[in-house]
């Protein structure tokens, strides 16, 4: 190992100044990568270093950062991912989303670990990156096109059907606040509105083609590790292999109350099996799709010809999408949900935020806060599947009520008034994902505290530590005792912090959660690729570092402990179903938040202390 | 792994109530061992749980705890160690020492992981433990005997020459405050006065014989790991293999100023090679000795016939002993040092505290604070080797000045008065080991903060991270940048904390430092032996937990941040030699202490916060 340490790990970062149409390349040193790893570690580093406090998220001074992890582009299952980040137009704080597919790997093969996009192009442009060469190209003819057309036109124009494209549809162009960035047509960097930032810069797409495979510091060791990895892969991930994301869990989620129903209000969603991935596979499923180098192939593809036509090019609904457009909108028609998914991928809209925005509108309609006058004649009741589809179109076009819902539920509620705020299911402006915090109460704390608003990935799924298997799965984190799903004691907070810190590492490494590999194996793979004499312990510290950086960014942008809270709804029980008598205890919840601060080394206002910054080698943040 | 988790790891703890002559056996569960591991983790747990605040360290209510680690007794190199702990008669706080040899392994083979000794025997006794059976036996005939005689008499009396004995000589019987507990005749649980506690209980010895080898949860895995372990062992530890402790470092230590000279005052010790382990090997060294199952065999054995006779039975001087009786007393005669070592092992006196006490007396003599009237006619100048030998005898017998020096330098200085305090080189009452804190300044901070007083083992050796090799050796802790030996920035404090926390784990596992094995390999060996799905990260947390428990014990006993300080001498330069212009900067030092508190999650007074206790699953300490 000693020799490798001296070699160092480096990577190229491409800077693109759209205002001045200039590009340049930087090459940070080994220590930079080891401290911040990749993905959102790189994103938050540059946002902290370079963004002026108070920057308009949709102004030219925001920076849109695409970042790979150190494993991206290697033939390692689960690593076909990249991050997209910027100051978020939804939260005004740290924005980032992870996305799968093939684009990140292609970027690495073209010679880059990250792209920092600054400024704003006068007219629409796209970037063309091929094996180290970068071109800023006119995209006026692409502007207004949906993602499927854009990808096709770029490939035709550049004469290469193997080009991979990260891009926005009309949703991003029109700066829908929760617009996403699409990798190809099926993979979305969904949350926190990164597509809106891309649109604000007049940047339609980044097309990439690369031919150079990266080399590991210790190729033999990597091969050996991957052998072990692949031999065990299929067995450990049976559910995802067979049914894609959501596995065989949607129906059980409904039975516990975890699956949100009618804008998180009710709890008795009938026959959830109708929306379960198992049913999708049996009825409308085609073959599945996967990310670069991954044999899991968790991505559903569906095809429906009538009565609704759903284009299989845009893939099928993930679990979150099934919940957001399905039960959350009181909708039981799987074809409608698949259509909604197709439209979101076409227009580059985040399916969670879109679905929750429509659920919000449906509840407002039911309460008379919105009427047919507002909706353009649509009877926007829960369960109106045609209405839902129409509203998605209106959002993408910013037409009528769609122009209000395009701002996200927080701003929409403010615009609508009349008490609509009560029905706006968000944290820090980001719509809440499809896991009920009255059921998973630790996740509720995680929603409240996540620097990117309500977030289900970098979070604790309470059911994972409510069972006897906890020692096997979380043992290496010292989480040894099962805790009830509704426990909010310091033990739950501790578990949330430990698990979340590892997930920050995961997001920086950009390994897919669905592979469930041991922390030790991830560590060893990282050692083999980078040559770092690193450890799971150091990687946990990296996760803590990134979490603390994200918190610091938000603090700097004016977010306070007041923003660490859930909508009032969650402190009351469901109207019906398994959680009809279960609410979150407000005192326990507040106590959990305060305990989280203290355990993280933050002060009572949730601001990281000087010594915590120093311990994490973030002393440079004191003067920013 | 899943199956093993359910099996659990347990061990037996023997309780001995000497007052009532009763014994009993407890069997804590897997979770207890996983949280507190072993060694000083077990010691501090029971002291916190069971000792009344304000207990007299030399009274019957103190508890003397012998504790193995989970690996003790397995045929694993480096694990032939055990801890001995109690409330310390030197500090009034947490006392513990680690010791090698064969006794701990024998205890494990006899069926016990630990012994908790409570109360006080009416007349001297010894314990006889054989394969699960325990007997309290009369030791009146052994009282007053030196260790060599005691061991021999017990073996004869019990008719088994393979019995291993942990015991005290006259030093422990007379409650010299820094008396040690000897494993056999060559291995000392040296620091913090555990031999005095043993003496206060009228407990002369614990004789052990066991025949049952422990079984690993995964024997195949353990064998495989040990194969790797043994193949690399010899290469990695060349210096210790050849020369024993101190390796080839004594001479270089003198050249940097690290080797204390004349009670830490001067810096120009000439011809240090005369005391170097290399010279010892060439001139007076016999074969070397080792601990149970260890192939390093780092323990010197020396034999000198004239003019001084040194008995080879008691081994040879370790590095610390060479420094304490050698340069620290201005003594250059290796035979005198070997004799001092022999006497300390015979009488069960800690060589560091004894040597530093004599160095203190020599400086007092030089300053006229002590005179020939006080010393019984001895001209106690630096360099008086015969005088030194005489004083050791007087300490062991508590005769004349020896009765004062038997209390340790802190109390001796108070008794002597006349400004003697200035020359008392101690922290919290424990004499400072043979590493100059003006040279290793991070270690100086560690001396000040160690819960067991000045302590060189659970500490940072600044030179280890001052060189380019830092990434290879400390990389897994994320310590990636070399730091000068005299650096006292937050980076040094961070390194001190990380390294110390791992050392607390090491001491709980009871793996020998001299093997320098990787943290990952230790983790895997522990997994194989215990069946725990643990990780280096969880083990680091265990170390942090034990450190925090020790701090909490001290806080409870009334120690405060005022006790976290060094003697004034260290804030001035040496009078001569390489550190003639180097002192510790008081402001930087104080700042480092405060930074340490905050980084550890302690408040400004150095008291662990409620949330830090909770994070470490030490919530039960809040109510103790």
């Amino acid at each position: 190992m000693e020799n490798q340490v001296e070699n160092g790990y480096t990577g190229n970062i491409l800077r693109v100044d759209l205002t001045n149409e200039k590009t340049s390349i930087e090459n940070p040193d080994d220590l930079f990568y080891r401290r911040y790893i990749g993905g959102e570690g790189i994103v938050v580093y540059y946002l902290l270093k370079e963004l002026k406090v108070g920057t308009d998220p949709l102004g030219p001074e925001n920076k849109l950062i695409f970042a790979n992890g150190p494993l991206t582009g290697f033939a390692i299952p689960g690593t076909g991912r990249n991050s997209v980040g910027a100051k978020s137009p939804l939260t005004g704080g740290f924005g980032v989303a992870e996305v799968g597919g093939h684009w990140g790997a292609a970027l690495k093969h073209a010679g880059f670990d990250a792209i920092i996009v600054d400024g704003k192009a006068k007219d629409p442009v796209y970037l063309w990156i091929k094996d180290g060469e970068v071109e800023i190209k006119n995209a006026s003819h692409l502007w207004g096109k949906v993602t499927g057309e854009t990808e096709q036109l770029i490939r035709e124009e550049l004469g290469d059907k193997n080009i991979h494209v990260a891009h926005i549809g009309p949703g991003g162009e029109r700066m829908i606040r929760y617009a996403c960035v699409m990798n190809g047509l099926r993979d979305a960097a969904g949350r926190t509105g990164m597509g809106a930032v891309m649109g604000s810069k007049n940047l339609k797409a980044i097309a990439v083609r690369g031919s150079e495979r990266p080399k590991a510091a210790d190729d033999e060791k990597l091969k050996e590790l991957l052998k072990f990895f692949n031999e065990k892969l299929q067995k450990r991930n049976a559910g995802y292999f067979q049914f894609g994301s959501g596995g065989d869990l949607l129906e059980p989620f409904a039975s516990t109350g975890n699956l949100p129903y009618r804008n998180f209000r009710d709890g008795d969603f009938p026959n959830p099996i109708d929306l379960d991935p198992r049913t999708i596979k049996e009825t409308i499923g085609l073959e599945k799709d996967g990310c670069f180098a991954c044999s899991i192939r968790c991505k559903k593809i569906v095809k429906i010809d009538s009565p609704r036509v759903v284009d299989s090019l845009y893939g099928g609904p993930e679990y979150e999408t099934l919940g957001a457009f399905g039960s959350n909108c009181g909708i039981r028609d799987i074809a409608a949900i698949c259509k909604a998914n197709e439209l979101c991928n076409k227009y580059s809209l985040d399916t969670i935020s879109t679905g929750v925005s429509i659920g919000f509108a449906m509840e407002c309609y039911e309460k008379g806060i919105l009427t047919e006058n507002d909706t353009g004649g649509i009877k926007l009741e829960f369960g109106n599947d045609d209405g839902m589809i129409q509203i998605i179109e209106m959002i993408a076009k910013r037409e009528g009520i769609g122009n209000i819902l395009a701002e996200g539920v927080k701003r929409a509620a403010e615009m609508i008034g009349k008490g609509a705020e009560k029905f706006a299911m968000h944290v820090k402006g980001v719509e809440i994902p499809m896991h009920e915090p009255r059921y998973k109460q630790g996740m509720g704390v995680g929603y409240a505290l996540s620097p990117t608003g309500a977030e289900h990935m970098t979070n604790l799924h309470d059911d994972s530590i409510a069972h006897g298997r906890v020692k096997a799965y979380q043992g290496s984190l010292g989480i040894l005792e099962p805790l009830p799903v509704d426990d909010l004691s310091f033990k739950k907070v501790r578990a949330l912090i430990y698990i979340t810190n590892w997930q920050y590492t995961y997001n920086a490494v950009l390994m897919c959660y669905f592979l469930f590999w041991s922390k030790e194996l991830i560590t060893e793979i990282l050692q083999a690729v980078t040559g770092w004499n690193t450890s799971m312990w150091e990687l946990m510290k990296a996760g803590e570092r990134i979490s603390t950086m994200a918190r610091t960014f938000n603090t700097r942008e004016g977010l306070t402990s007041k923003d660490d809270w859930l909508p009032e709804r969650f402190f009351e029980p469901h109207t019906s179903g398994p959680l009809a008598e279960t609410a979150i205890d407000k005192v326990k919840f507040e106590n959990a938040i305060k305990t989280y601060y203290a355990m993280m080394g933050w002060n009572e206002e949730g601001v990281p202390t000087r010594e915590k910054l120093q311990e994490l080698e973030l002393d440079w943040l004191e003067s920013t």
Side-chain angles (χ1 to χ4, degrees), chain A residues 587-603:
Chain A
V587 173
K588 285 185 187 164
F589 191 78
E590 185 170 7
N591 193 44
I593 302 266
K594 297 287 181 195
T595 301
Y596 187 103
Y597 292 168
M599 283 190 184
M600 284 294 287
W602 302 350
N603 71 16

PDB file of all heavy atoms in Angstrom, chain A residues 587-603:
ATOM      1  N   VAL A 587     -43.496  17.433  21.108  1.00  0.00           N
ATOM      2  CA  VAL A 587     -42.415  17.662  22.079  1.00  0.00           C
ATOM      3  C   VAL A 587     -41.247  16.705  21.809  1.00  0.00           C
ATOM      4  O   VAL A 587     -40.073  17.111  21.778  1.00  0.00           O
ATOM      5  CB  VAL A 587     -42.936  17.489  23.525  1.00  0.00           C
ATOM      6  CG1 VAL A 587     -41.785  17.549  24.519  1.00  0.00           C
ATOM      7  CG2 VAL A 587     -43.980  18.560  23.832  1.00  0.00           C
ATOM      8  N   LYS A 588     -41.589  15.448  21.583  1.00  0.00           N
ATOM      9  CA  LYS A 588     -40.530  14.476  21.284  1.00  0.00           C
ATOM     10  C   LYS A 588     -39.802  14.827  19.989  1.00  0.00           C
ATOM     11  O   LYS A 588     -38.599  14.657  19.863  1.00  0.00           O
ATOM     12  CB  LYS A 588     -41.132  13.068  21.147  1.00  0.00           C
ATOM     13  CG  LYS A 588     -41.519  12.437  22.462  1.00  0.00           C
ATOM     14  CD  LYS A 588     -41.995  11.005  22.235  1.00  0.00           C
ATOM     15  CE  LYS A 588     -42.550  10.424  23.527  1.00  0.00           C
ATOM     16  NZ  LYS A 588     -43.340   9.213  23.287  1.00  0.00           N
ATOM     17  N   PHE A 589     -40.583  15.313  19.028  1.00  0.00           N
ATOM     18  CA  PHE A 589     -40.006  15.657  17.734  1.00  0.00           C
ATOM     19  C   PHE A 589     -39.025  16.826  17.872  1.00  0.00           C
ATOM     20  O   PHE A 589     -37.895  16.764  17.380  1.00  0.00           O
ATOM     21  CB  PHE A 589     -41.138  16.013  16.763  1.00  0.00           C
ATOM     22  CG  PHE A 589     -40.699  16.125  15.334  1.00  0.00           C
ATOM     23  CD1 PHE A 589     -40.491  14.985  14.568  1.00  0.00           C
ATOM     24  CD2 PHE A 589     -40.499  17.366  14.738  1.00  0.00           C
ATOM     25  CE1 PHE A 589     -40.096  15.088  13.236  1.00  0.00           C
ATOM     26  CE2 PHE A 589     -40.096  17.471  13.414  1.00  0.00           C
ATOM     27  CZ  PHE A 589     -39.896  16.332  12.664  1.00  0.00           C
ATOM     28  N   GLU A 590     -39.436  17.832  18.592  1.00  0.00           N
ATOM     29  CA  GLU A 590     -38.563  18.991  18.791  1.00  0.00           C
ATOM     30  C   GLU A 590     -37.308  18.576  19.561  1.00  0.00           C
ATOM     31  O   GLU A 590     -36.196  19.013  19.242  1.00  0.00           O
ATOM     32  CB  GLU A 590     -39.308  20.098  19.543  1.00  0.00           C
ATOM     33  CG  GLU A 590     -38.452  21.352  19.660  1.00  0.00           C
ATOM     34  CD  GLU A 590     -39.228  22.559  20.170  1.00  0.00           C
ATOM     35  OE1 GLU A 590     -40.403  22.395  20.552  1.00  0.00           O
ATOM     36  OE2 GLU A 590     -38.631  23.657  20.176  1.00  0.00           O
ATOM     37  N   ASN A 591     -37.500  17.727  20.532  1.00  0.00           N
ATOM     38  CA  ASN A 591     -36.369  17.240  21.310  1.00  0.00           C
ATOM     39  C   ASN A 591     -35.387  16.447  20.428  1.00  0.00           C
ATOM     40  O   ASN A 591     -34.167  16.562  20.567  1.00  0.00           O
ATOM     41  CB  ASN A 591     -36.883  16.374  22.464  1.00  0.00           C
ATOM     42  CG  ASN A 591     -35.792  16.110  23.475  1.00  0.00           C
ATOM     43  OD1 ASN A 591     -35.053  17.015  23.848  1.00  0.00           O
ATOM     44  ND2 ASN A 591     -35.657  14.863  23.880  1.00  0.00           N
ATOM     45  N   ALA A 592     -35.951  15.673  19.521  1.00  0.00           N
ATOM     46  CA  ALA A 592     -35.102  14.898  18.601  1.00  0.00           C
ATOM     47  C   ALA A 592     -34.267  15.834  17.715  1.00  0.00           C
ATOM     48  O   ALA A 592     -33.090  15.586  17.459  1.00  0.00           O
ATOM     49  CB  ALA A 592     -35.960  13.968  17.746  1.00  0.00           C
ATOM     50  N   ILE A 593     -34.894  16.904  17.273  1.00  0.00           N
ATOM     51  CA  ILE A 593     -34.169  17.889  16.445  1.00  0.00           C
ATOM     52  C   ILE A 593     -33.002  18.495  17.231  1.00  0.00           C
ATOM     53  O   ILE A 593     -31.870  18.583  16.740  1.00  0.00           O
ATOM     54  CB  ILE A 593     -35.123  19.023  15.999  1.00  0.00           C
ATOM     55  CG1 ILE A 593     -36.310  18.463  15.213  1.00  0.00           C
ATOM     56  CG2 ILE A 593     -34.362  20.122  15.251  1.00  0.00           C
ATOM     57  CD1 ILE A 593     -36.186  18.444  13.743  1.00  0.00           C
ATOM     58  N   LYS A 594     -33.280  18.874  18.472  1.00  0.00           N
ATOM     59  CA  LYS A 594     -32.238  19.490  19.304  1.00  0.00           C
ATOM     60  C   LYS A 594     -31.122  18.483  19.613  1.00  0.00           C
ATOM     61  O   LYS A 594     -29.944  18.842  19.664  1.00  0.00           O
ATOM     62  CB  LYS A 594     -32.834  19.999  20.632  1.00  0.00           C
ATOM     63  CG  LYS A 594     -33.878  21.098  20.462  1.00  0.00           C
ATOM     64  CD  LYS A 594     -33.239  22.410  20.058  1.00  0.00           C
ATOM     65  CE  LYS A 594     -34.268  23.526  19.894  1.00  0.00           C
ATOM     66  NZ  LYS A 594     -33.727  24.691  19.162  1.00  0.00           N
ATOM     67  N   THR A 595     -31.527  17.246  19.847  1.00  0.00           N
ATOM     68  CA  THR A 595     -30.534  16.192  20.101  1.00  0.00           C
ATOM     69  C   THR A 595     -29.656  15.985  18.872  1.00  0.00           C
ATOM     70  O   THR A 595     -28.433  15.804  18.981  1.00  0.00           O
ATOM     71  CB  THR A 595     -31.244  14.877  20.482  1.00  0.00           C
ATOM     72  OG1 THR A 595     -32.044  15.111  21.645  1.00  0.00           O
ATOM     73  CG2 THR A 595     -30.251  13.767  20.773  1.00  0.00           C
ATOM     74  N   TYR A 596     -30.271  16.027  17.709  1.00  0.00           N
ATOM     75  CA  TYR A 596     -29.527  15.896  16.456  1.00  0.00           C
ATOM     76  C   TYR A 596     -28.469  17.001  16.358  1.00  0.00           C
ATOM     77  O   TYR A 596     -27.299  16.734  16.072  1.00  0.00           O
ATOM     78  CB  TYR A 596     -30.503  15.971  15.286  1.00  0.00           C
ATOM     79  CG  TYR A 596     -29.918  15.678  13.918  1.00  0.00           C
ATOM     80  CD1 TYR A 596     -30.130  14.445  13.305  1.00  0.00           C
ATOM     81  CD2 TYR A 596     -29.185  16.637  13.216  1.00  0.00           C
ATOM     82  CE1 TYR A 596     -29.623  14.171  12.041  1.00  0.00           C
ATOM     83  CE2 TYR A 596     -28.670  16.374  11.954  1.00  0.00           C
ATOM     84  CZ  TYR A 596     -28.888  15.138  11.365  1.00  0.00           C
ATOM     85  OH  TYR A 596     -28.378  14.870  10.121  1.00  0.00           O
ATOM     86  N   TYR A 597     -28.880  18.230  16.595  1.00  0.00           N
ATOM     87  CA  TYR A 597     -27.915  19.344  16.561  1.00  0.00           C
ATOM     88  C   TYR A 597     -26.707  19.020  17.447  1.00  0.00           C
ATOM     89  O   TYR A 597     -25.554  19.125  17.031  1.00  0.00           O
ATOM     90  CB  TYR A 597     -28.528  20.642  17.093  1.00  0.00           C
ATOM     91  CG  TYR A 597     -29.618  21.285  16.281  1.00  0.00           C
ATOM     92  CD1 TYR A 597     -30.384  22.320  16.837  1.00  0.00           C
ATOM     93  CD2 TYR A 597     -29.903  20.895  14.980  1.00  0.00           C
ATOM     94  CE1 TYR A 597     -31.394  22.945  16.115  1.00  0.00           C
ATOM     95  CE2 TYR A 597     -30.920  21.512  14.260  1.00  0.00           C
ATOM     96  CZ  TYR A 597     -31.662  22.534  14.832  1.00  0.00           C
ATOM     97  OH  TYR A 597     -32.656  23.158  14.137  1.00  0.00           O
ATOM     98  N   ALA A 598     -26.998  18.695  18.691  1.00  0.00           N
ATOM     99  CA  ALA A 598     -25.918  18.525  19.672  1.00  0.00           C
ATOM    100  C   ALA A 598     -25.034  17.335  19.304  1.00  0.00           C
ATOM    101  O   ALA A 598     -23.811  17.408  19.411  1.00  0.00           O
ATOM    102  CB  ALA A 598     -26.501  18.358  21.068  1.00  0.00           C
ATOM    103  N   MET A 599     -25.647  16.250  18.875  1.00  0.00           N
ATOM    104  CA  MET A 599     -24.843  15.082  18.503  1.00  0.00           C
ATOM    105  C   MET A 599     -23.965  15.366  17.294  1.00  0.00           C
ATOM    106  O   MET A 599     -22.899  14.782  17.139  1.00  0.00           O
ATOM    107  CB  MET A 599     -25.746  13.880  18.216  1.00  0.00           C
ATOM    108  CG  MET A 599     -26.297  13.191  19.453  1.00  0.00           C
ATOM    109  SD  MET A 599     -27.093  11.619  19.014  1.00  0.00           S
ATOM    110  CE  MET A 599     -27.732  11.113  20.615  1.00  0.00           C
ATOM    111  N   MET A 600     -24.431  16.254  16.418  1.00  0.00           N
ATOM    112  CA  MET A 600     -23.636  16.598  15.240  1.00  0.00           C
ATOM    113  C   MET A 600     -22.545  17.615  15.558  1.00  0.00           C
ATOM    114  O   MET A 600     -21.740  17.953  14.694  1.00  0.00           O
ATOM    115  CB  MET A 600     -24.540  17.167  14.142  1.00  0.00           C
ATOM    116  CG  MET A 600     -25.366  16.141  13.403  1.00  0.00           C
ATOM    117  SD  MET A 600     -24.365  14.969  12.407  1.00  0.00           S
ATOM    118  CE  MET A 600     -23.829  16.017  11.043  1.00  0.00           C
ATOM    119  N   GLY A 601     -22.523  18.136  16.777  1.00  0.00           N
ATOM    120  CA  GLY A 601     -21.551  19.188  17.088  1.00  0.00           C
ATOM    121  C   GLY A 601     -22.001  20.532  16.553  1.00  0.00           C
ATOM    122  O   GLY A 601     -21.185  21.355  16.152  1.00  0.00           O
ATOM    123  N   TRP A 602     -23.329  20.750  16.518  1.00  0.00           N
ATOM    124  CA  TRP A 602     -23.880  22.045  16.127  1.00  0.00           C
ATOM    125  C   TRP A 602     -24.380  22.736  17.397  1.00  0.00           C
ATOM    126  O   TRP A 602     -24.713  22.076  18.378  1.00  0.00           O
ATOM    127  CB  TRP A 602     -25.049  21.865  15.133  1.00  0.00           C
ATOM    128  CG  TRP A 602     -24.679  21.116  13.882  1.00  0.00           C
ATOM    129  CD1 TRP A 602     -23.413  20.771  13.466  1.00  0.00           C
ATOM    130  CD2 TRP A 602     -25.586  20.588  12.900  1.00  0.00           C
ATOM    131  NE1 TRP A 602     -23.479  20.084  12.273  1.00  0.00           N
ATOM    132  CE2 TRP A 602     -24.808  19.956  11.904  1.00  0.00           C
ATOM    133  CE3 TRP A 602     -26.968  20.598  12.756  1.00  0.00           C
ATOM    134  CZ2 TRP A 602     -25.363  19.338  10.790  1.00  0.00           C
ATOM    135  CZ3 TRP A 602     -27.528  19.987  11.640  1.00  0.00           C
ATOM    136  CH2 TRP A 602     -26.734  19.367  10.655  1.00  0.00           C
ATOM    137  N   ASN A 603     -24.455  24.040  17.362  1.00  0.00           N
ATOM    138  CA  ASN A 603     -24.954  24.736  18.550  1.00  0.00           C
ATOM    139  C   ASN A 603     -26.484  24.661  18.615  1.00  0.00           C
ATOM    140  O   ASN A 603     -27.116  23.994  17.795  1.00  0.00           O
ATOM    141  CB  ASN A 603     -24.419  26.176  18.613  1.00  0.00           C
ATOM    142  CG  ASN A 603     -25.050  27.075  17.556  1.00  0.00           C
ATOM    143  OD1 ASN A 603     -26.093  26.747  16.952  1.00  0.00           O
ATOM    144  ND2 ASN A 603     -24.437  28.212  17.314  1.00  0.00           N
TER     145      ASN A 603
END
